[in-house]
Amino acid sequence: MTFYDDIYPFYPLQRTAFIISGRLLAIILVFLMLAVGLLLILPGIRGKTRVFWMLRIMISLFIGVVIVALNFTNSWAEARMTTNVTYKSFSNAVIQAEVGLHVGLYGFNVTLRGNPIVQFNETINYNEMFSWHDIAEEEYEQALIKGLPNPILYIVEKFTLSSPCGMIFQYSYSGRFASATLWTAFCCWILSNILFFLPDIVYAGYMTMATAAFIFFSMASFSTIKNVPRCVFSIGEDSFVTEYSHSFWLALATGVLCTIIGFFVVMLYFLMPEKVKAAFSLRFDSYEDEDEDKSCPEGYLNSVFLNGEMHLPLTPKVTPDCL
């Protein structure tokens, strides 16, 4: 019987790798429930307008969920490689594994997956999360106490304050500003949805382009990490550096989508305002004019009483209330 029932490094129980962030899952579920609730009203919309409304709802919710979810994903920058590396401290045991680093706006996670996954009678499958808001040295000490494998400890050490790489400052500050601009883009997205229900939807187009602008600002903020020398991670006989990943390119695609939507809304509003208002069901002026015509029928005035002339016939006139 070895230390902790032959489960090493030093875990008392067999661990399960992290799969998905709870906050990210909650965001997706909230927007899915909102989408289902809005789609339930579609049967009450008649004609071709139903299809247009469905497209508006789906595209708008897609933009909103992407903006919020990008704050909590750990795939803005990543790097991975497969190499032979020592598994734990004070041991010469070498394993073949895939090592990965995934960086987000609020933190990063390090993955270690054996190839094959079972080696030395152990399931090698780790996914450790670390946050910028916590003290790096304390998290590193906790990782040492838990006995994380050597590749994970090596990468986490690069993000400590004592590391000469200074990666904690590069990624934490760039992620902080990128997150702030993304939340500003989310506020612009909310305003644009409100303005789409007002008569002058040109302002909704402007606000949609403002949403795209702040998304691009967040990408520019995160890209400042490229302006400083990047730290090289050397594990075993191989090395890697981080590159832009899925979240970064998804932010770019969403920003381009918002730019296209905002540009076409503004352009079509100036070229054919009435048709655009009709497409968005905003022809309030014509509806009000029709209601006024129906509520003010033609009336008659007694010209003899008004002018004092006894022989003039009654002439039809419009009542003063309808003028």
Side-chain angles (χ1 to χ4, degrees), residues 169-236:
F169 302 105
Q170 300 173 19
Y171 283 99
S172 63
Y173 289 142
S174 62
R176 183 181 305 173
F177 289 111
S179 177
T181 49
L182 272 180
W183 284 118
T184 307
F186 180 70
C187 295
C188 294
W189 172 79
I190 294 176
L191 291 176
S192 66
N193 281 275
I194 296 174
L195 293 173
F196 269 117
F197 291 95
L198 298 180
D200 294 329
I201 63 171
V202 64
Y203 298 107
Y206 291 147
M207 194 55 63
T208 304
M209 288 191 288
T211 303
F214 281 106
I215 293 177
F216 294 143
F217 290 156
S218 68
M219 296 174 58
S221 299
F222 188 81
S223 297
T224 55
I225 60 175
K226 298 291 185 179
N227 299 330
V228 294
R230 288 181 292 173
C231 186
V232 178
F233 297 88
S234 299
I235 301 177

Side-chain angles (χ1 to χ4, degrees), residues 26-44:
I27 292 169
I28 295 174
L29 290 178
V30 168
F31 275 88
L32 282 177
M33 293 176 63
L34 185 60
V36 172
L38 292 175
L39 291 176
L40 288 177
I41 68 175
L42 287 180

